[in-house]
Amino acid sequence: MNDSSDWSVDLGGGTRAALIQAGTFRSDAGALFGPVPRLLWDRLVTNEIDPENRLLQALNCLLVETPSGRVLIETGIGERLPDKTREMRGYEGKPIVAAMESAGFEPGSVDLVVMSHLHFDHAGGLLRADGQKAFPRARIVAQRAEWDIALDDNSRIVASYDQPELRLVHGWGSGGAVDGQTELLPGVSVIPTGGHSKGHQAIIVRGTNRTLAFFGDLGMRPWSANPRWVTAFDDFPLDSVEVKGELFARAAADGWLIALSHEPVTPIGRLTPDRDRYRFDPI
Ligand SMILES: [Zn+2]
């Protein structure tokens, strides 16, 4: 899928969401499936696993148009990765600013940038290659707890976040931080989830006809629909299992559309109850 404008959803009442893929990168397959034995997941990825045992991960962002403002959800990896790291992560494709422009959106028109959390593959696009703000007018929204943990000196935290980059955007970015569940604009809310990271949040967009939910890295790929299938990157896996169970139950009961954070081929769908878990049905 190259043309991100194919994935536009009308939620009603003047609210629309367009999926914008800000390139792709590669993650170790075993780490993406965490505690799940390979015997159970191997068949799901037979055709996509590469010789280095990695899976292709899309950097899915959403551009949400509402009568009260324009919201970008997630920013991908961005333009500032050193060549060596770029190669190591298998990062390819258009970063967010170029991807938005190709889809016909002007980065300067964004009012709010909302991120599920601040890992490198979600917060990397806040700055242009030259260090200028990529979204000069925007308020940057993450949970305050996420800013706090992102700059912690625990060595595992240091490895999950790009702290030198986050320090560059901290003054601008943390000024827009929120504490807990918050309605940012009419119809656009964030719900703290924790789990994947301490201050991780879900983003819910409600139009007059439909609701679209973005669960960040608690809903990366179709198989994330099983609340117990959490990645090895989740810092608080028991919290992930619990909060996924609660949110997915609401999503299934109310028929929410779901946008997955890293699914390259079928990023939008719905959750359907399936035995003691859920199933992701693409639309
Ligand atoms: Zn991610």
Side-chain angles (χ1 to χ4, degrees):
M1 186 182 82
N2 296 315
D3 186 0
S4 47
S5 56
D6 288 354
W7 297 82
S8 175
V9 190
D10 188 352
L11 302 174
T15 297
R16 299 181 63 81
L19 183 92
I20 300 190
Q21 287 189 332
T24 57
F25 71 120
R26 288 176 184 272
S27 295
D28 181 78
L32 290 178
F33 287 98
V36 181
R38 183 161 187 169
L39 193 65
L40 296 183
W41 58 255
D42 207 30
R43 69 191 159 78
L44 300 176
V45 299
T46 323
N47 298 321
E48 60 163 311
I49 199 158
D50 76 7
E52 290 167 292
N53 291 312
R54 300 179 305 177
L55 297 184
L56 188 72
Q57 294 268 83
L59 294 154
N60 293 337
C61 307
L62 292 165
L63 200 281
V64 178
E65 194 88 72
T66 82
S68 327
R70 193 172 256 194
V71 184
L72 175 68
I73 300 175
E74 309 288 31
T75 71
I77 289 177
E79 306 172 9
R80 292 169 55 79
L81 217 55
D83 287 346
K84 198 177 153 207
T85 321
R86 180 181 294 266
E87 200 177 317
M88 204 177 74
R89 302 212 189 267
Y91 177 38
E92 289 177 342
K94 284 182 186 166
I96 185 63
V97 166
M100 274 180 72
E101 286 169 349
S102 302
F105 299 105
E106 165 57 43
S109 69
V110 173
D111 299 295
L112 283 178
V113 174
V114 188
M115 292 169 293
S116 60
H117 64 300
L118 298 174
H119 284 164
F120 77 98
D121 55 319
H122 298 257
L126 288 173
L127 297 179
R128 303 291 302 254
D130 62 4
Q132 297 292 312
K133 292 176 180 175
F135 311 99
R137 288 201 315 116
R139 170 187 170 193
I140 309 300
V141 182
Q143 291 286 322
R144 190 171 313 282
E146 182 68 4
W147 281 107
D148 292 345
I149 194 81
L151 298 172
D152 193 271
D153 58 9
N154 178 290
S155 58
R156 171 160 165 150
I157 297 292
V158 172
S160 321
Y161 294 87
D162 190 339
Q163 292 185 335
E165 287 293 309
L166 287 176
R167 285 194 189 93
L168 293 178
V169 295
H170 183 253
W172 169 43
S174 66
V178 291
D179 290 298
Q181 183 165 342
T182 308
E183 184 167 56
L184 303 170
L185 289 177
V188 181
S189 304
V190 293
I191 301 175
T193 63
H196 182 71
S197 68
K198 184 112 183 201
H200 188 280
Q201 63 185 358
I203 298 122
I204 314 289
V205 182
R206 288 189 172 82
T208 50
N209 302 331
R210 294 201 273 189
T211 295
L212 174 69
F214 183 81
F215 296 132
D217 279 356
L218 295 177
M220 281 188 188
R221 302 291 297 264
W223 57 78
S224 309
N226 185 333
R228 291 180 302 284
W229 285 34
V230 297
T231 78
F233 302 116
D234 285 40
D235 284 335
F236 305 92
L238 296 181
D239 295 342
S240 297
V241 174
E242 192 175 326
V243 78
K244 282 172 68 172
E246 291 164 11
L247 286 172
F248 292 1
R250 281 172 68 184
D254 294 344
W256 293 354
L257 292 169
I258 307 298
L260 300 171
S261 64
H262 292 310
E263 166 57 32
V265 183
T266 56
I268 297 183
R270 284 196 174 80
L271 293 173
T272 308
D274 179 13
R275 292 163 287 168
D276 60 346
R277 65 201 75 155
Y278 298 88
R279 188 180 68 236
F280 178 79
D281 294 321
I283 56 163

